[in-house]
Amino acid sequence: MEQPVQTETSKARSLEELVRILHQIFDEDKVSVDEVQALMESYESNPEEWLQYAKFDQYRYTRNLVDNGNGKFNLMILCWGEGHGSSIHDHTDSHCFMKILQGNLKETLFEWPEKKGNGEMTKKSERVLRENQCAYINDSIGLHRVENISHTEPAVSLHLYSPPFDTCNTFDQRTGHKHKVTMTFYSQFGERTVC
Amino acid sequence: LPAGLSQWFPALEVLDVSGTGLTEMGTELLSLPCLHTLLAKNNRLGGPGSLPKGLGQAPLARSLRVLNLSGNRFSEVPPALLQLRGLRSLSLGGNRLHGIPPDIQELHSLEFLYLGGNFITAIPPELAKLPSLRYLVLCDNKIQSIPPQLAQLHSLRSLSLHNNLLTYLPREILNLVHLEELSLRGNPLVVRFVRDLTYNPPSLQELAGRTVKTRNVPYAPSDLPDSLVRYLSLASNCPNPKCGGVYFDSCVRQIKFVDFCGKYRLPLMHYLCSPECSSPFSSASQSSTSQSESDSEDEASVAAHRMQKVLLG
């Protein structure tokens, strides 16, 4: 992605409109990170529009595909029960946008471990993202762990990844060792996927 | 709760009174015969009258399946709650609990137990007597150790232990064959090889007890005082497969690391009957060519492989 080519920022007034504008943006040769982030943040979360994709699992967070962007991006909804969290992971050279649709998520940023490193990974920063906020990360920024730290409220987030990817590395916080994993979808386009 | 609730809505199955500032739930609950789900999170419950008296005799005791009391002010699990025999799902997340009552085992239909975000320091072994428990959340507490009996939770699929004060785990944790999720981050897990050298030599009573057990000296309850009969029944087997010995109170604690393909090391606690005994899970510092030791190593690495998927998942 390069510097912005459009100066007007569009506002998405519904999830459908958000998807439509994203398709338009990604059809261009150059896409601006700032524009996508602003667009995602502009959409005011309306549960009626995304409830069909928000399928929770008792034991861990779920990934529910909403749109596959003609191969240019993946748009998905993640559902986090109370106490659910992810491992520390990278983003396989892709761009990652994460917008909160309901509840709050804590994002902890980590430095990449040293090549020969065998010690505890270094925490860079942490923050709690509120409803409708949109965060951005890519591998040059660092690694992160995302968690729903609430013991009373579930959380729902909207993620855009470009280019799409289905494998990434997870990292052991105590040693920096990494392990490649394949990610799967709990549901696609509102239908539960059974593997 | 409004008076007359059960008269207006006698067929009520789901009641959600979350975020209403409730300080107590009264006798109106007792006359709701069909209620299976009660959500009362984010209130001000926790005082003496929070749950009505006579709960154990009400239809609710058999009909209630789901109870959510998260985000309240409970400093202990109310005894009345333990009378809800039909309960499948209980959440007391984000309260002020300092412990878990052993009588939790009364909730024998429990499948889902959420106790994250409290001040719990220890887990009673009786928690392991819940045969249907699939999901156990103990994250964000002050737990220092896990009782080995927890490995008896045969149905456990997911165990959440992150953000506690654990330095090691009992080796029996590898016996949880159905475990798919295990979170351990945010614990001060020991990373370096530690040998606990404080070995208290066994007492004469212990030495006698060991001999009775290992030599199969026959005895009947009429031969010994009750206290000694009970003592003999508490013998634990030394995990060293070549030893076959037992111990009572005097044992060596030793932390061994189970290696997950060189990528992740989990510190597991073993109790051995004497410093001369060796553990079934050999560490790198001990080399062995015996068949029985490598058999136990295989067993450990199979369990370790399964655990690797769980820990890094």
Side-chain angles (χ1 to χ4, degrees):
Chain A
M1 295 185 184
E2 312 265 343
Q3 285 307 305
V5 289
Q6 294 169 305
T7 47
E8 339 92 55
T9 42
S10 14
K11 178 173 161 67
R13 289 158 302 189
S14 73
L15 183 61
E16 255 187 50
E17 187 166 56
L18 174 64
V19 172
R20 202 174 41 74
I21 301 175
L22 283 170
H23 273 260
Q24 278 176 2
I25 292 178
F26 280 88
D27 264 342
E28 304 289 327
D29 295 327
K30 291 180 181 172
V31 182
S32 145
V33 165
D34 289 336
E35 190 189 5
V36 174
Q37 190 168 7
L39 176 69
M40 293 211 21
E41 202 148 299
S42 79
Y43 164 60
E44 282 174 35
S45 171
N46 179 357
E48 275 179 25
E49 292 168 0
W50 48 256
L51 223 48
Q52 56 175 305
Y53 305 107
K55 300 180 192 307
F56 282 81
D57 182 89
Q58 209 176 56
Y59 305 129
R60 53 167 304 158
Y61 72 93
T62 62
R63 306 170 78 245
N64 305 275
L65 184 66
V66 174
D67 191 274
N68 57 19
N70 289 333
K72 300 258 180 74
F73 63 83
N74 266 351
L75 188 69
M76 63 191 77
I77 282 180
L78 271 62
C79 296
W80 314 74
E82 292 87 319
H84 288 178
S86 77
S87 52
I88 302 172
H89 57 274
D90 63 9
H91 297 87
T92 321
D93 293 324
S94 289
H95 302 268
C96 158
F97 299 84
M98 171 169 74
K99 179 199 174 70
I100 313 298
L101 295 177
Q102 178 185 297
N104 301 293
L105 287 175
K106 176 174 163 188
E107 181 195 32
T108 310
L109 289 182
F110 288 87
E111 301 278 9
W112 280 88
E114 305 285 310
K115 271 275 184 229
K116 275 188 170 185
N118 206 0
E120 181 99 25
M121 282 174 70
T122 315
K123 222 183 263 198
K124 271 186 9 171
S125 65
E126 64 182 44
R127 58 174 167 169
V128 174
L129 297 159
R130 311 279 168 201
E131 275 182 20
N132 285 313
Q133 267 189 287
C134 179
Y136 168 78
I137 194 170
N138 66 43
D139 283 352
S140 68
I141 292 174
L143 307 165
H144 71 178
R145 184 196 302 285
V146 181
E147 315 170 73
N148 178 11
I149 52 174
S150 172
H151 298 292
T152 58
E153 312 307 323
V156 181
S157 54
L158 181 69
H159 295 235
L160 186 149
Y161 298 102
S162 178
F165 58 94
D166 56 12
T167 66
C168 71
N169 290 299
T170 62
F171 295 77
D172 172 6
Q173 187 170 345
R174 294 181 312 157
T175 59
H177 286 147
K178 71 178 181 197
H179 178 72
K180 186 170 171 187
V181 294
T182 307
M183 297 120 80
T184 55
F185 290 114
Y186 193 77
S187 75
Q188 297 195 34
F189 316 113
E191 303 279 328
R192 176 84 171 91
T193 41
V194 188
C195 346
Chain B
L1 293 175
L5 185 63
S6 51
Q7 284 166 338
W8 298 333
F9 305 111
L12 203 59
E13 293 180 18
V14 176
L15 179 61
D16 186 349
V17 288
S18 302
T20 55
L22 277 177
T23 51
E24 56 179 46
M25 291 194 292
T27 50
E28 295 77 20
L29 274 186
L30 302 179
S31 356
L32 289 168
C34 309
L35 197 67
H36 61 68
T37 298
L38 177 57
L39 310 173
K41 57 183 196 181
N42 299 321
N43 282 306
R44 287 188 242 152
L45 298 164
S50 300
L51 295 178
K53 287 191 170 61
L55 201 55
Q57 290 73 44
L60 206 64
R62 271 171 284 114
S63 70
L64 202 65
R65 297 275 174 269
V66 177
L67 178 59
N68 190 330
L69 293 169
S70 61
N72 280 289
R73 299 167 185 191
F74 287 99
S75 55
E76 57 164 26
V77 178
L81 198 154
L82 301 174
Q83 293 169 11
L84 298 167
R85 297 304 172 102
L87 211 57
R88 303 247 168 97
S89 168
L90 174 61
S91 175
L92 279 161
N95 276 280
R96 301 170 185 177
L97 301 176
H98 284 267
I100 306 169
D103 284 342
I104 192 92
Q105 62 179 311
E106 305 280 305
L107 297 175
H108 45 83
S109 304
L110 213 57
E111 296 174 12
F112 178 107
L113 180 57
Y114 194 109
L115 294 170
N118 281 288
F119 303 109
I120 297 170
T121 52
I123 302 171
E126 288 81 359
L127 189 60
K129 299 235 177 94
L130 294 170
S132 314
L133 201 64
R134 305 228 295 258
Y135 186 50
L136 178 58
V137 179
L138 293 165
C139 63
D140 294 297
N141 276 292
K142 306 277 176 210
I143 300 168
Q144 294 182 5
S145 69
I146 305 292
Q149 291 87 343
L150 229 58
Q152 289 161 26
L153 288 168
H154 302 297
S155 305
L156 208 62
R157 295 271 187 283
S158 180
L159 178 57
S160 168
L161 290 169
H162 59 271
N163 300 332
N164 273 290
L165 299 171
L166 298 170
T167 47
Y168 57 81
L169 296 179
R171 69 174 173 87
E172 288 83 357
I173 205 102
L174 296 177
N175 296 343
L176 289 168
V177 287
H178 294 119
L179 201 64
E180 292 167 7
E181 299 289 333
L182 170 62
S183 65
L184 286 170
R185 65 182 185 279
N187 278 287
L189 292 177
V190 167
V191 288
R192 283 186 311 282
F193 184 70
V194 168
R195 178 171 231 124
D196 185 1
L197 293 172
T198 58
Y199 169 59
N200 293 317
S203 60
L204 286 177
Q205 177 174 291
E206 167 125 14
L207 288 172
R210 289 189 185 195
T211 306
V212 167
K213 283 298 198 184
T214 52
R215 304 262 176 108
N216 285 318
V217 174
Y219 63 93
S222 50
D223 298 327
L224 297 169
D226 281 346
S227 57
L228 285 181
V229 173
R230 258 195 314 276
Y231 179 81
L232 286 171
S233 71
L234 293 173
S236 299
N237 291 313
C238 180
N240 179 0
K242 289 194 295 184
C243 172
V246 300
Y247 62 91
F248 293 85
D249 307 304
S250 170
C251 58
V252 179
R253 296 179 348 147
Q254 200 175 40
I255 289 186
K256 293 282 190 179
F257 290 93
V258 177
D259 208 1
F260 298 86
C261 307
K263 285 184 191 131
Y264 200 89
R265 298 198 321 156
L266 197 65
L268 301 177
M269 178 64 87
H270 303 286
Y271 296 90
L272 302 165
C273 65
S274 79
E276 288 75 45
C277 253
S278 63
S279 157
F281 307 117
S282 287
S283 75
S285 61
Q286 288 178 4
S287 63
S288 152
T289 49
S290 82
Q291 181 61 31
S292 60
E293 274 209 37
S294 59
D295 276 349
S296 342
E297 265 175 42
D298 285 340
E299 205 177 79
S301 67
V302 164
H305 247 287
R306 198 183 57 235
M307 273 290 162
Q308 178 188 40
K309 176 178 176 248
V310 167
L311 286 164
L312 301 178

